[in-house]
Amino acid sequence: MAMEVTQILLNAQAVDGNVRKHAEDSLRQFQEQNLPSFLFSLAGELANDEKPVESRKLAGLILKNALDAKEQHRKFELGQRWLSLDPSVKAQIRACLLKTLSSPAHDAQSTASQVVAKLAGIELPLKQWPELIEALLSNNNQLPPHTRQATLETLGYICEEVSPDVIEQDQVNKMLTAVVQGMNSTETNNDVRLAATRALHNALGFAQANFSNDMERDYIVRVVCEATLSPEVKIRQAAFECLVSISSTYYEKLAPYIQDIFSITAKAVKEDEEPVALQAIEFWSSICDEEIDILEEYGGEFTGDSSIPCFYFIKQALPALIPLLLETLLKQEEDQDQDEVAWNVAMAGGTCLGLVARTVGDDVVPLVMPFIEENITKPDWRQREAATYAFGSILEGPSPDKLMPLVNVALNFMLNALTNDPNNHVKDTTGWTLGRIFEFLHGSTLETPIITQANCQQIITVLLQSMKDVPNVAEKACGALYFLAQGFEDAEPSSSPLTPFFQEIAQALLDVTHREDAGESRLRTAAYEALNEVVRCSTDETAPLVMQLVPVIMLELHRLLRRKSFQLMRGRSRMNYKAFFVLNSHIYAEIFLQHANELIIKSHRNKYRTYLSS
């Protein structure tokens, strides 16, 4: 039934375009004309250790794509197509895949593991292929290391593909036993131990019953903690990922282990390599998330009688956790602002510190302020930046009464640092911190405003000046202006300090969008978002200026769409398009309906529609 497909698969990877296209057409025709033979031929190629690595890899990839797709409707169609095949054909393909798990070729093993899991996702919910788990686990301890590794990888992939209620508890117990044994420190093969650790991460959702049993839970947690001390970095990282998953899935079971886990995570944060340290920090961020959710559900009135327990792990750990996190803030990277998706220990530590502040509120302030006061004026930029980052991180969570005196003292210092500090990293973080001040401690709901007629001009002058700085600093200044304007949204028309500066602000933001480097650090987008918010929160007095602004924006939008149409068709410059489109018709209509003559409104709305349709 199987056909020889080796040469076709090799040709499908040829450099010569004609050869490649002919092979791709042949594969497509084979699939359309005889799907069972096509799938069996691919499975046979994948299972044959005498075949070239290149043809086996492509065979496995095509086989996987014939069973699964990202789009749900297509995924369903492929699943139904598989289920409709003759049972004997399916049995032969399954046998080839299980045989491949014993192949010494790692690429073939890994691909087969994924294909087996895809089939499990189709068949196990329908009680088909019931012998799969037993087949994987049979004589696992007696198998060669590379086969055990592939088996454990397969179990992990299966746990990703199916829901916990699909697999019987006795099979779950056997899976977990095999996985935890593979993780044990007595396992001498690091590839097996890594595969087992990653498999446990995927299998934790299946372990509800096991975590309810004290002995089984103790054993699993002990093995995970031992794995965090492995000599291999990847194993340590995977073990901490398991701890993170345990913290969110089994928070209520953590009390007996939390002190030991703190010791393990603290050691990793201080001494281990970055991938491991990041996961150690993530454990405490995850604990914060859990406790924030619990406390918010009960409106801050949690009691011991509540159905969901809160153990206040973060509050108990504060005296040791805060110094640990503050230490991470000093581990900045010189080029950390150059990559918008960068993530390092300093960023992770600051993020966790912000979550701690949200979790414990006022209690965090006295523990962080000495660090800020000690480092904020130091000659080393890392210390100044860390102190600023720490201050910005604790602005959400503590009460305004606790923070307002500190913010009133710090505001002038921050404004000065934004324009005068010699280091761009410090200025970047300072702009972000000012944005946080305006976001959380500025608005009509606060009894004592931090923005007054007296200091508003200085604040605006500094922000507008910083918009001329390097892109990452200018972007933070735009963000700060966004929240500054938002805080005056509910102000009385005659009491908004921004009104006298409206034209100057609007012009400065438009100038930012014309900078040659406005495409960097999300600067153009930030400028348009800020302009939109300034307009949205403007008062009656600025209506004539808003009306003058509309045709300018329409011309900008029209020019951009014409210039960028080709790139947009090719899937590029979408961010610029989105930034302009933030200034959309219904937002301006709402604003202008409150401020202008009906005929003028109609005229401008017609112009707006004309530009959008062109």
Side-chain angles (χ1 to χ4, degrees), residues 589-608:
E590 284 184 60
I591 295 170
F592 299 143
L593 281 169
Q594 301 172 28
H595 300 306
N597 179 278
E598 183 176 354
L599 292 176
I600 298 177
I601 294 171
K602 183 181 293 185
S603 172
H604 280 291
R605 289 175 71 182
N606 289 337
K607 288 182 182 179
Y608 203 174

Side-chain angles (χ1 to χ4, degrees), residues 55-70:
S55 66
R56 297 178 73 187
K57 286 174 63 175
L58 183 56
L61 178 62
I62 295 173
L63 184 57
K64 182 163 72 76
N65 291 340
L67 298 168
D68 186 53
K70 291 182 180 180

